[in-house]
Amino acid sequence: MRAARCMLGLAGYLAFCPGVGAEEKHVWTLEHVAALRSVSEAAMAPDGSAVAFVLQVPRIPYKDEDGPAWRELHVAEAARQARPYVAGKVSVGDIAWTPDSSAIVFLAKREGDEHRAVYLIPVRGGEAQRKVTHEEDIEAFSLSPDGHRIAFLARPPRDKKKKKLEEKGFRVEVYEEDWRPVKVYIASLDDAAAKPRVLDLPGSASELHWSPVDDRLVVALAPTPLIDDHYMRRKVHVVDAGSGRVLARLDNPGKLGPVAWSPDGRSLAFISAADLHDPREGRLVVASASGGPLTDVLPGFAGHVIAFAWQDADTLLYVGHEGVGSVFGEVRRDGSARKTIVAAGEPILNSLSLSRDGRRAAFVADSPAHPAELYVMAHGDRAPARWTTTNPEAESLRRALQEVVRYRARDGLEIEGLLIRPLDARAGQRYPLILVVHGGPEAHYSNGWLTSYAAPGQVAAARGFAVFYPNYRGSTGRGVAFSKLHQGDYAGREFDDLVDGVDYLVAQGLVDAKRVGVTGGSYGGFATAWCATRYSERFAAAVMFVGIADHVSKAGTTDIPWEMYLVHARRWPWEAWDWFRERSPLYHVEQARTPILIAHGKEDPRVHPSQSLALYRYLKVLERTPVRLVFYPGEGHGNRRAATRYDFSRRLMQWMEHYLQGPGGAPPPYELELDLRALGVEEEGEEEENPQREQDPREAAAAGPGQRAPAAPARR
């Protein structure tokens, strides 16, 4: 039974897996991180009686068939009373309740499905029923007010003639022309045999919501499904669900976030960029559903709105990230009567779902003590209450102190960051530092859970490192003006902020200036490469992940050229060749003395793998510093699969320990030593018991609140 129990995730890993010493059971390890569960979606029932949520369950490296985390459907009716409805080897998403709160509708590709379909499962018992299918994956959906129809997004079926040609070997790709737009379809939930009806709309659809009072839809349309158009050119349209006629078009500028109808169907609210050059959507905007001007209802908000919901036809509730905290607030549709319900602090709220009467709210939230969990708040409560504990055994693990740090950059600008001190740090002792740089740069770190496969956090702290997460200029969370401070200044003051943060921690007596490492992905990978070349004398180790090495070739190989131009560079290479070259790590490669590990997904469309290959090749030929390049076949801009995530986390820590705590010199062995028994993996020849499987909702109901159902035969 040992292996079966080890498959239960973090709890099983801590409680049953052999090969883990007593001391390892009380501090964070990479294996703990690999097994962490988290809540990723939450939907409050319209009548407020329960909350449906999606639980992400990672696959165990070396044990399970590789892939991304499973996504299970659970329902909670009270704190600590969650129960699984669709569990096991499933991938549930886009959850929603029927208007009468009797059932949950969701997307999944289950046994026998060729494509992702729409399912419905009754809350009070019964099998999940497949309701709507399509010849391609259904990407999103919205229910009609009466609950009998559904609008969904999907690509049109592939051309049969082309499919036959492909079977004969004619698999050509005409780059950025061979695409199919995402269309809006209308289908019946009552008649599975009825063929969905497609609406002839201009462009490619994404965001989709049915009006709560009639047959109108709000749809976000971009000229093409290309990611650059999705980022920069989506516009809000109001469409008649019967005829497909466009009734109104709103002129929202730049990037676009979630959209929602007011309960009376008269207004629309959405999260928008302030202008075409705003790096990130974060303004809460209201407009008439018939068109007309947009009203920013939180003008001057020194943060970024990340979620909202209509409480009634005149009132909006919103969640904003402000600094390194989050705020829950209320505002009228005209921007008046703004009120803070929960001030910035912990936990970090990341979503919002309301009951129909607006008196109960569900959130996904994390904190320095735990990854994302389900939180619920009722009208009159002082703060959201935590309803789930998805990693109960993690409560016993010792955590290092996490604190907010503020320091002055060399030009006087105040910069915020988050510091995780070494576990059991002693006053007067200096420690090695790992600087973790976020991507974007239109992103930020909040004072929540900071440990992941690509950010060592508590794991590194348990091994004697300090870990620092700076929100350098260009980060979100501090308003539009702050997020624009990096524009037209690649690797300038934005990355000076990183070095200034290191200097601050050195001046505080915590960090050993000779033992500083840096890591980050995407734009954070660019920062890592810059620190390892232009600022090489300041860094003793670097781990670059899907990072940028050469802005000239990056501009010509990325799938987001207009986004890079409009909200980052603000110029094209042919307008400033020398500037693009000089702001590239490759230009400074002769200065590099920092040992650097480079890792990249081989199918990355955002930052082409050639960026990493070029940096590796230059450094390899120069022979002035240790360098290693790791490619991950099948991965894109960041790792999704359990095996590649665990592999990268192992290599990251190995590199940092070797060069910041160990002997340094030549790189450590490229083959990782594996303790399979510590992961709960059976030795060859041992029998596997109780393999993971998809769980029938009736078994889940029989298991009782918060428990898994008894073992049953595996199904294929």
Side-chain angles (χ1 to χ4, degrees):
M1 290 297 293
R2 183 177 64 245
R5 286 170 175 163
C6 287
M7 294 173 65
L8 294 179
L10 181 63
Y13 173 84
L14 286 168
F16 301 108
C17 292
V20 181
E23 69 282 354
E24 290 180 303
K25 287 186 177 182
H26 293 94
V27 299
W28 282 92
T29 69
L30 295 175
E31 289 70 37
H32 296 144
V33 176
L36 277 177
R37 301 178 178 206
S38 62
V39 174
S40 61
E41 294 181 44
M44 177 67 72
D47 64 5
S49 61
V51 183
F53 65 95
V54 172
L55 179 66
Q56 292 200 147
V57 181
R59 309 185 195 208
I60 303 302
Y62 306 107
K63 177 63 178 180
D64 294 332
E65 181 182 352
D66 192 28
W70 300 115
R71 293 165 55 88
E72 301 181 341
L73 173 63
H74 292 238
V75 175
E77 295 182 351
R80 298 179 297 280
Q81 293 186 25
R83 58 196 302 179
Y85 271 63
V86 180
K89 291 186 176 182
V90 294
S91 187
V92 169
D94 210 26
I95 57 175
W97 291 82
T98 54
D100 62 2
S101 301
S102 67
I104 301 163
V105 186
F106 60 92
L107 293 179
K109 183 180 177 182
R110 305 182 73 188
E111 185 177 356
D113 290 337
E114 186 176 353
H115 301 288
R116 190 160 61 163
V118 176
Y119 280 84
L120 180 148
I121 185 168
V123 176
R124 298 305 170 194
E127 293 273 8
Q129 309 155 27
R130 186 171 56 204
K131 287 292 187 178
V132 180
T133 61
H134 186 64
E135 294 177 74
E136 296 287 337
D137 283 348
I138 296 177
E139 300 182 10
F141 68 88
S142 180
L143 297 176
S144 64
D146 60 11
H148 293 291
R149 290 168 296 161
I150 189 169
F152 68 86
L153 301 179
R155 284 177 168 80
R158 293 172 60 83
D159 181 81
K160 293 182 179 179
K161 181 179 178 181
K162 184 175 181 180
K163 287 177 69 175
K164 289 184 178 180
L165 287 172
E166 288 178 351
E167 292 170 0
K168 297 295 184 181
F170 294 92
R171 298 185 182 92
V172 300
E173 177 186 354
V174 182
Y175 190 63
E176 292 191 347
E177 292 185 49
D178 188 13
W179 50 262
R180 290 172 296 150
V182 177
K183 293 291 188 178
V184 177
Y185 292 82
I186 308 296
S188 169
L189 282 177
D190 302 325
D191 184 1
K195 186 176 180 179
R197 173 172 53 88
V198 64
L199 302 185
D200 185 20
L201 299 176
S204 187
S206 49
E207 190 85 7
L208 171 72
H209 300 283
W210 206 305
S211 163
V213 296
D214 53 32
D215 268 6
R216 290 174 299 162
L217 303 171
V218 61
V219 184
L221 293 170
T224 75
L226 299 177
I227 190 66
D228 216 12
D229 280 345
H230 181 86
Y231 276 179
M232 304 306 304
R233 296 186 174 92
R234 290 195 302 154
K235 299 293 183 182
V236 177
H237 294 70
V238 178
V239 175
D240 181 84
S243 65
R245 184 167 62 93
V246 175
L247 304 175
R249 180 181 184 273
L250 302 180
D251 192 23
N252 54 285
K255 295 184 177 180
L256 175 67
V259 184
W261 291 93
S262 61
D264 60 5
R266 294 173 54 198
S267 301
L268 292 167
F270 51 91
I271 300 175
S272 173
D275 54 55
L276 187 60
H277 301 292
D278 189 349
R280 188 65 181 262
E281 67 280 7
R283 307 306 100 197
L284 182 55
V285 173
V286 173
S288 169
S290 60
L294 313 180
T295 300
D296 182 350
V297 298
L298 298 171
F301 177 51
H304 281 74
V305 177
I306 57 102
F308 72 92
W310 289 90
Q311 186 179 40
D312 55 45
D314 294 309
T315 310
L316 288 151
L317 300 183
Y318 66 91
V319 170
H321 282 182
E322 192 171 8
V324 294
S326 67
V327 60
F328 180 39
E330 174 186 315
V331 66
R332 303 282 284 181
R333 64 189 290 171
D334 61 1
S336 64
R338 179 174 168 184
K339 181 174 72 173
T340 298
I341 300 172
V342 180
E346 301 173 23
I348 304 301
L349 307 177
N350 294 300
S351 71
L352 172 62
S353 177
L354 291 182
S355 59
R356 185 182 289 110
D357 62 9
R359 299 181 66 83
R360 291 178 66 81
F363 310 86
V364 175
D366 61 284
S367 83
H370 60 76
E373 299 279 8
L374 172 64
Y375 279 72
V376 173
M377 185 176 184
H379 186 74
D381 291 348
R382 297 184 62 182
R386 181 178 173 184
W387 270 29
T388 59
T389 302
T390 59
N391 302 288
E393 303 301 331
E395 306 293 319
S396 66
L397 295 176
R398 298 175 60 219
R399 286 184 294 106
L401 177 65
Q402 180 172 310
E403 61 189 81
V404 179
V405 170
R406 295 181 177 89
Y407 61 95
R408 293 287 174 183
R410 62 192 66 180
D411 63 355
L413 183 67
E414 184 178 77
I415 304 297
E416 287 184 321
L418 294 156
L419 172 68
I420 301 179
R421 290 182 175 268
L423 191 65
D424 300 324
R426 298 178 181 178
Q429 182 173 337
R430 292 186 180 271
Y431 294 89
L433 172 71
I434 299 176
L435 179 71
V436 183
V437 188
H438 68 69
E442 65 276 20
H444 69 279
Y445 291 116
S446 295
N447 191 21
W449 185 250
L450 296 176
T451 304
S452 69
Y453 83 96
Q458 291 291 337
V459 174
R463 298 185 184 187
F465 291 89
V467 189
F468 184 51
Y469 302 76
N471 286 330
Y472 53 100
R473 70 190 70 199
S475 301
T476 53
R478 292 179 62 179
V480 176
F482 187 87
S483 69
K484 287 184 175 183
L485 288 178
H486 80 289
Q487 291 185 345
D489 191 24
Y490 280 158
R493 291 175 298 173
E494 59 180 359
F495 293 167
D496 291 344
D497 292 346
L498 307 178
V499 177
D500 294 343
V502 173
D503 287 343
Y504 173 82
L505 296 176
V506 171
Q508 296 300 304
L510 177 67
V511 169
D512 181 347
K514 295 181 179 180
R515 294 190 294 160
V516 178
V518 58
T519 188
S522 191
Y523 207 86
F526 165 36
T528 300
W530 186 258
C531 291
T533 54
R534 173 63 179 81
Y535 268 124
S536 186
E537 75 280 0
R538 303 297 306 275
F539 294 89
V543 178
M544 167 184 164
F545 187 39
V546 294
I548 302 163
D550 175 28
H551 280 294
V552 174
S553 59
K554 163 68 161 58
T557 55
T558 185
D559 60 355
I560 53 169
W562 280 100
E563 198 261 359
M564 296 299 295
Y565 167 72
L566 290 168
V567 306
H568 299 304
R570 300 296 295 270
R571 66 193 85 176
W572 296 108
W574 48 88
E575 297 172 338
W577 289 114
D578 289 342
W579 182 82
F580 272 82
R581 281 193 294 262
E582 291 167 5
R583 298 304 178 97
S584 298
L586 277 187
Y587 186 83
H588 305 278
V589 73
E590 290 181 275
Q591 299 173 227
R593 300 296 186 274
T594 304
I596 183 168
L597 171 65
I598 304 169
H600 216 123
K602 247 190 165 181
E603 279 64 56
D604 187 350
R606 196 77 14 89
V607 177
H608 196 273
S610 61
Q611 294 287 310
S612 287
L613 180 59
L615 182 60
Y616 166 81
R617 184 60 67 206
Y618 280 32
L619 292 172
K620 192 74 172 179
V621 170
L622 283 168
E623 295 184 325
R624 295 178 180 177
T625 190
V627 59
R628 173 171 291 156
L629 174 60
V630 178
F631 279 131
Y632 290 109
E635 294 288 14
H637 196 56
N639 291 352
R640 297 179 64 250
R641 304 195 310 269
T644 53
R645 286 188 167 201
Y646 183 65
D647 182 271
F648 178 71
S649 67
R650 287 284 307 276
R651 294 183 187 278
L652 188 161
M653 284 307 305
Q654 179 197 52
W655 198 263
M656 293 298 181
E657 288 177 323
H658 185 77
Y659 287 107
L660 302 183
Q661 293 177 325
Y670 73 87
E671 290 186 340
L672 298 175
E673 294 183 5
L674 304 177
D675 183 359
L676 298 184
R677 293 183 68 84
L679 287 163
V681 179
E682 293 291 358
E683 297 295 327
E684 188 173 348
E686 290 190 64
E687 183 179 355
E688 177 183 333
E689 297 184 49
N690 191 25
Q692 280 189 341
R693 62 184 180 83
E694 184 173 341
Q695 186 174 10
D696 189 285
R698 293 172 297 182
E699 298 170 352
Q707 301 179 22
R708 286 189 172 272
R715 295 188 305 200
R716 297 291 182 186

